Amino acid sequence: MTRLLNHSQVKLLLYRFHRRHEVKLDPSLVDPKLEPRINQIMLPLLSVVGDAALRDELKQAAQRTQLSMIAERGLLIEALVLEILTELMWISRRPVVAVAEITMSFIQRYGAEYDRPITNRWIGSILRNKLNLQTYKSHGVYVVPLSEKEKVELLCERYGVNVLADNLMMDAEGDMATSGT
């Protein structure tokens, strides 16, 4: 099925064809603080805009968009699992963190908020499929190796999870408490 272009679309397409040799992407306009996808969208726009004030406005809009995306991600279950995983990685004396340990901590902290059963399989699928973290079976249980710590730190930035070693404290029962995530 062929779709016809409307008048505005034709004008935009003609503009692109007429100006295709004039506009070059300027790699110096890439903002390293922004996520790659936002930079991918903003670079052509910033390269076309000649006015410095308008460029600054576009950069501010991109930063606001990124902050909004991070805030939204922070409310997802992935962020909650990531928060617990990070805390357990900080205190772990073993080279791995068991998925069952993450599940138990998740149930203690957030179990009342979920109607569905919180299982090791569900938490493991979030770790593997949503957060793209490596898990493997060790002595009959699935674990996340501490070698994933660097990836976890990058994910914390992406999801707006702020768990610092100074914020981790052990209370009298040995349970973990956080201040300010």
Side-chain angles (χ1 to χ4, degrees):
M1 175 184 220
T2 306
R3 184 176 162 260
L4 297 176
L5 299 174
N6 67 32
H7 183 69
S8 298
Q9 291 170 324
V10 171
K11 286 175 94 174
L12 287 170
L13 191 56
L14 279 173
Y15 175 82
R16 281 187 69 191
F17 282 135
H18 289 290
R19 306 268 192 258
R20 71 182 184 274
H21 297 295
E22 295 174 19
V23 177
K24 301 286 184 216
L25 293 181
D26 183 0
S28 68
L29 297 172
V30 171
D31 187 348
K33 293 180 236 145
L34 294 178
E35 292 183 13
R37 180 67 177 134
I38 295 177
N39 268 318
Q40 183 182 21
I41 293 167
M42 294 304 296
L43 186 59
L45 287 172
L46 294 171
S47 296
V48 171
V49 173
D51 182 26
L54 183 54
R55 236 185 231 167
D56 287 340
E57 274 186 57
L58 286 171
K59 287 179 181 180
Q60 289 172 5
Q63 290 168 349
R64 284 191 305 272
T65 300
Q66 178 160 311
L67 290 174
S68 173
M69 287 171 46
I70 289 171
E72 286 176 26
R73 278 188 208 125
L75 301 174
L76 298 174
I77 186 154
E78 292 91 340
L80 304 177
V81 171
L82 191 60
E83 174 186 335
I84 290 169
L85 173 62
T86 305
E87 292 169 357
L88 292 173
M89 281 182 150
W90 274 106
I91 64 168
S92 180
R93 291 190 174 99
R94 296 175 295 154
V96 295
V97 175
V99 172
E101 193 177 353
I102 299 167
T103 303
M104 292 304 292
S105 294
F106 190 89
I107 291 169
Q108 285 176 343
R109 194 173 302 171
Y110 302 112
E113 298 175 23
Y114 290 89
D115 294 332
R116 68 165 287 159
I118 299 166
T119 63
N120 293 346
R121 177 180 240 170
W122 186 47
I123 297 296
S125 73
I126 291 168
L127 292 166
R128 284 185 303 279
N129 302 329
K130 304 274 185 168
L131 298 173
N132 295 316
L133 293 170
Q134 174 190 356
T135 62
Y136 65 89
K137 204 168 197 176
S138 173
H139 303 291
V141 296
Y142 281 95
V143 296
V144 178
L146 290 186
S147 62
E148 293 284 278
K149 200 171 200 175
E150 188 175 316
K151 193 187 292 186
V152 167
E153 289 171 0
L154 291 172
L155 285 167
C156 284
E157 281 183 42
R158 181 176 170 87
Y159 282 88
V161 173
N162 185 17
V163 180
L164 301 174
D166 298 343
N167 290 347
L168 298 175
M169 300 170 287
M170 300 298 276
D171 65 11
E173 292 87 38
D175 293 333
M176 192 163 349
T178 60
S179 60
T181 46

